């Protein structure tokens, strides 16, 4: 006898049987419809206007959440100190130009002493009266108290009793860093901003990198000679370009102290001595002539803690125009290079 054979017949869609595949498909359909049912019920409950407001608030909540998590997802830590280790990265020397502002000087020294990457602080003292022992003792104590690292910044006065403006850029003995941050005694740059500018300078160590941009432009020709205008901050903002960063808040390589003092034309140094207010333009011209390139402006907030400076005095613009044109004439050429590039920390920008 032949063995019995079982035959299974698959039911078609209309036979009324429920297969596992059909049940799974039905469940998927129910799950996909359910969110829309919730939204419809919410809309009916809140009303059309309130429902739109609810959606807007929900979207904003999602954006805030994603923004708060984005930096950690991408490996960034926005709360991490931005200081650069002076031992591993070289650090920098703060060169403070001071003149008759002892109260501001105390604040400035205290601030820069607290910056982690500062290796040394030098005060260019350009008064005929020597600094008192009381002031020296106080500032040395402030440096020790404010410094947050085991290696305390080396602190020293560089005395220039003759008040010579070129003395601002005299060579400094026993420097341990290549980077010099030149700053006026009434200018305070936050440590994190300063360290970011230092990292920018490290990418272009023979360029001037600073916070105070200025520009020039050809105004007209007089007697077959070009006449240039010196443009301040509002000119930079309006034109969207610059060709100088002032040494009142700028990084440059220490070699420029030697070159400015020993290699720059004596006629230029004599001119700066007579005019008293042109040493920063002279340094910008010298670095531009050495590099054949533009400086780098770092976007960052700085604070001028003193009263209005010389830039607010009457006739300052005319004096700067004269300085610029006279120095270009002494150079025999225009070395300044204009640019519209600026360095911005992506950590502090919404979009980049």
């Amino acid at each position: 006898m032949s063995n019995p054979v079982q035959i299974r017949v698959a039911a078609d869609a209309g036979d009324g049987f429920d297969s596992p595949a059909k049940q799974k498909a039905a469940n998927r359909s129910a799950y996909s419809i359910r969110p829309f049912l919730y939204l419809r019920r919410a809309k009916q409950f809140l009303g059309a206007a309130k429902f739109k407001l609810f959606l807007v608030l929900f979207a904003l909540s999602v954006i805030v959440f994603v923004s708060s998590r984005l930096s950690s997802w991408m490996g960034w830590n926005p709360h991490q100190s931005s200081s650069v280790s002076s031992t591993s990265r070289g650090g920098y020397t703060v060169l403070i130009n001071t003149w008759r502002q002892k109260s501001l000087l105390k604040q400035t020294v205290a601030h820069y002493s607290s910056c982690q990457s500062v290796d040394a602080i030098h005060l260019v003292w350009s008064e005929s009266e020597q600094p008192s022992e009381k002031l020296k003792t106080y500032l040395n104590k402030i440096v020790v108290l404010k410094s947050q690292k085991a290696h305390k910044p080396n602190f020293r006065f560089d005395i220039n009793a003759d008040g010579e403006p070129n003395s601002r850029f005299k060579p400094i003995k026993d420097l341990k860093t290549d980077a010099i941050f030149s700053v006026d005694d009434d200018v305070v740059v936050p440590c994190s901003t300063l360290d970011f500018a230092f990292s920018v300078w490290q990418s272009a160590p023979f360029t001037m990198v600073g916070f105070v941009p200025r520009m020039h432009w050809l105004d007209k020709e007089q007697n077959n000679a070009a006449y240039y205008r010196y443009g301040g901050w509002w000119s930079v903002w309006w034109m969207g370009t610059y060709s100088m960063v002032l040494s009142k808040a700028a990084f440059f390589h220490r070699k420029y102290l030697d070159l400015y003092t020993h290699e720059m034309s004596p006629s230029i140094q004599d001119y700066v001595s007579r005019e008293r207010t042109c040493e920063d333009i002279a340094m910008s011209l010298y670095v531009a002539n050495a590099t054949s390139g533009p400086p780098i402006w770092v976007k960052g907030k700085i604070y001028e803690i003193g009263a209005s400076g010389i830039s607010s005095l009457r006739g300052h613009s005319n004096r700067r125009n004269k300085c610029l044109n006279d120095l270009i004439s002494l150079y025999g050429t225009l070395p300044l290079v204009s640019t519209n590039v600026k360095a911005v920390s992506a950590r502090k920008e919404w979009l980049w």
Side-chain angles (χ1 to χ4, degrees):
M1 293 179 61
S2 61
N3 293 326
V5 178
Q6 286 187 329
I7 300 175
R8 293 183 180 178
V9 180
D12 60 17
D15 62 3
F17 292 101
D18 289 330
S19 68
K22 288 178 65 178
Q23 291 177 356
K24 188 178 295 186
N27 290 337
R28 276 202 302 266
S29 177
Y31 284 124
S32 63
I33 294 174
R34 189 174 299 170
F36 295 101
L37 293 176
Y38 289 155
L39 288 175
R40 183 180 299 172
R41 290 174 183 174
K43 185 174 181 180
Q44 292 172 351
F45 178 75
L46 296 174
K50 292 183 179 179
F51 182 72
K52 291 179 181 179
L53 178 61
F54 168 76
L55 288 180
V56 170
L57 293 175
F58 179 75
L60 288 175
S61 300
V62 171
I63 292 172
V64 170
F65 175 77
V66 171
S67 299
S68 65
R69 301 294 299 170
L70 184 61
S71 59
S72 60
W73 290 342
M74 300 185 71
W76 300 336
N77 183 2
H79 303 293
Q80 184 179 3
S81 172
S82 62
S83 62
V84 183
S85 170
S86 61
T87 55
S88 63
R89 301 290 295 276
Y92 47 86
T93 297
V94 178
L95 186 63
I96 303 176
N97 190 56
T98 183
W99 192 72
R100 296 183 179 178
Q101 299 201 85
K102 295 183 180 65
S103 60
L104 296 182
L105 183 61
K106 294 175 182 178
Q107 297 180 53
T108 307
V109 171
H111 169 71
Y112 290 114
S113 298
S114 68
C115 297
Q116 291 287 329
S117 300
V118 173
D119 181 81
I121 299 174
H122 286 251
L123 295 183
V124 181
W125 184 272
S126 301
E127 300 180 33
S128 57
E129 181 182 351
Q130 297 285 311
S132 65
E133 290 301 319
K134 182 179 179 181
L135 179 63
K136 290 181 179 179
T137 301
Y138 177 84
L139 293 178
N140 272 289
K141 186 181 297 185
I142 283 293
V143 170
V144 173
L145 290 175
K146 293 295 183 178
S147 178
Q148 302 176 14
K149 56 184 182 178
H151 167 69
K152 305 301 180 182
N154 179 35
F155 177 75
R156 195 173 79 187
F157 278 85
D158 294 328
I159 308 297
N160 301 294
D162 55 3
E164 166 64 45
N166 287 309
S167 297
R168 176 171 192 161
F169 301 126
K170 285 177 62 175
I172 299 174
K173 294 181 180 179
D174 304 323
L175 270 181
K176 296 181 180 179
T177 68
D178 288 333
I180 301 290
F181 179 64
S182 173
V183 65
D184 285 354
D185 56 5
D186 61 348
V187 175
V188 170
V189 182
C191 295
S192 58
T193 303
L194 191 58
D195 285 343
F196 172 67
F198 175 49
S199 68
V200 174
W201 176 84
Q202 288 179 308
S203 69
F206 300 119
T207 300
M208 284 190 76
V209 175
F211 298 95
V212 186
R214 295 294 184 262
M215 67 172 295
H216 76 283
W217 70 90
L218 178 63
D219 184 44
K220 56 186 174 181
E221 291 193 1
Q222 298 177 344
N223 301 323
N224 295 324
Y227 182 80
Y228 295 93
R229 290 281 181 181
Y230 173 91
W233 161 247
W234 289 111
S235 298
V236 173
W237 178 82
W238 181 256
M239 301 296 291
T241 186
Y242 66 97
S243 55
M244 294 172 273
V245 291
L246 299 186
S247 56
K248 69 181 295 180
F251 279 96
F252 54 78
H253 197 282
R254 67 176 181 177
K255 74 172 186 176
Y256 290 119
L257 298 177
D258 292 290
L259 295 174
Y260 184 99
T261 303
H262 301 301
E263 300 295 333
M264 194 165 67
S265 170
S267 62
I268 296 177
Q269 295 195 28
D270 292 342
Y271 179 84
V272 170
S273 297
R274 292 194 307 270
E275 296 297 324
R276 312 293 297 177
T277 60
C278 299
E279 76 279 359
D280 53 352
I281 296 179
M283 177 59 91
S284 289
L285 288 167
Y286 190 86
V287 175
N289 190 60
T291 60
S292 299
I296 300 175
W297 168 29
V298 175
K299 181 183 177 182
K301 184 172 288 187
I302 67 174
Y303 302 92
E304 298 193 47
I305 59 177
S308 298
I310 60 173
S311 60
S312 63
L313 298 177
R314 187 175 181 180
H316 176 73
S317 180
N318 291 332
R319 287 192 294 271
R320 299 296 270 182
N321 287 333
K322 183 178 185 299
C323 277
L324 178 62
N325 284 278
D326 290 346
L327 289 173
I328 290 173
S329 177
L330 290 171
Y331 265 97
T333 183
L334 175 63
L336 296 175
V337 179
S338 297
T339 181
N340 55 11
V341 175
K342 62 182 176 183
V344 180
S345 175
R347 289 180 176 178
K348 299 181 179 180
E349 296 295 316
W350 278 94
L351 300 173
W352 63 288

